[in-house]
Amino acid sequence: MKDTLTLKFHDSIDAFDLSDWNAMVDPDYPHLTHEFLAAAEHSQSVSNDTGWQANHLGLYNEETLVGAIPLYQKSHSWGEFVFDWSWADAYRRAGLEYYPKLITATPFTPATAPKILTARSDEAEGYQRTLLEADL
């Protein structure tokens, strides 16, 4: 693996080339495709106003996209199919802020999927490790 790996956050799926993104998505999970995520953003279903601000993470080897995680900064827990209201309440009672929170999810979709996306190559495991261990 080259030592030229860089991480970058993007506030829209449109920052990624459609074919580069989709090359990393398992075809068994169509709700992770560029088209699906773009439709959510373009329709404003995913936006600051709905509490789903896109904040996708891209991993680049020089200029080439080699990994990504679909991420969203959330200002509430609606639409996640995760029931963390008690955690949010516990934080509030302790005088702490629970929101905003950064999550990897497919908005409004109760389906599981592998969300650590990497290029299919001999370096895939290293790219996954880099994404998971990033000090953001």
Side-chain angles (χ1 to χ4, degrees):
M1 185 171 4
K2 295 182 182 178
D3 293 330
T4 55
L5 295 177
T6 56
L7 293 162
K8 184 176 178 184
F9 284 101
H10 300 282
D11 63 3
S12 173
I13 194 68
D14 291 334
F16 298 93
D17 178 78
L18 183 145
S19 59
D20 291 345
W21 181 276
N22 285 348
M24 298 185 298
V25 175
D26 184 321
D28 289 339
Y29 302 99
H31 54 280
L32 287 176
T33 64
H34 192 284
E35 294 90 341
F36 184 93
L37 299 176
E41 290 181 21
H42 297 168
S43 69
Q44 295 295 300
S45 298
V46 169
S47 68
N48 254 350
D49 291 341
T50 63
W52 286 85
Q53 178 56 51
N55 203 16
H56 308 301
L57 182 61
L59 175 65
Y60 299 87
N61 187 344
E62 296 183 3
E63 299 296 317
T64 303
L65 180 68
V66 295
I69 303 175
L71 291 170
Y72 298 90
Q73 185 174 328
K74 293 292 307 292
S75 60
H76 56 68
S77 294
W78 295 105
E80 294 174 35
F81 301 95
V82 173
F83 303 104
D84 63 351
W85 300 109
S86 58
W87 284 106
D89 185 53
Y91 269 67
R92 182 193 54 77
R93 286 184 281 121
L96 301 171
E97 296 290 327
Y98 189 71
Y99 305 105
K101 62 182 181 175
L102 189 63
I103 65 167
T104 181
T106 306
F108 312 107
T109 306
T112 60
K115 295 180 185 78
I116 309 299
L117 309 176
T118 58
R120 289 170 178 82
S121 76
D122 293 340
E123 306 297 334
E125 187 176 318
Y127 297 149
Q128 289 174 346
R129 193 174 319 106
T130 299
L131 286 164
L132 291 171
E133 295 175 356
D135 185 16
L136 307 172

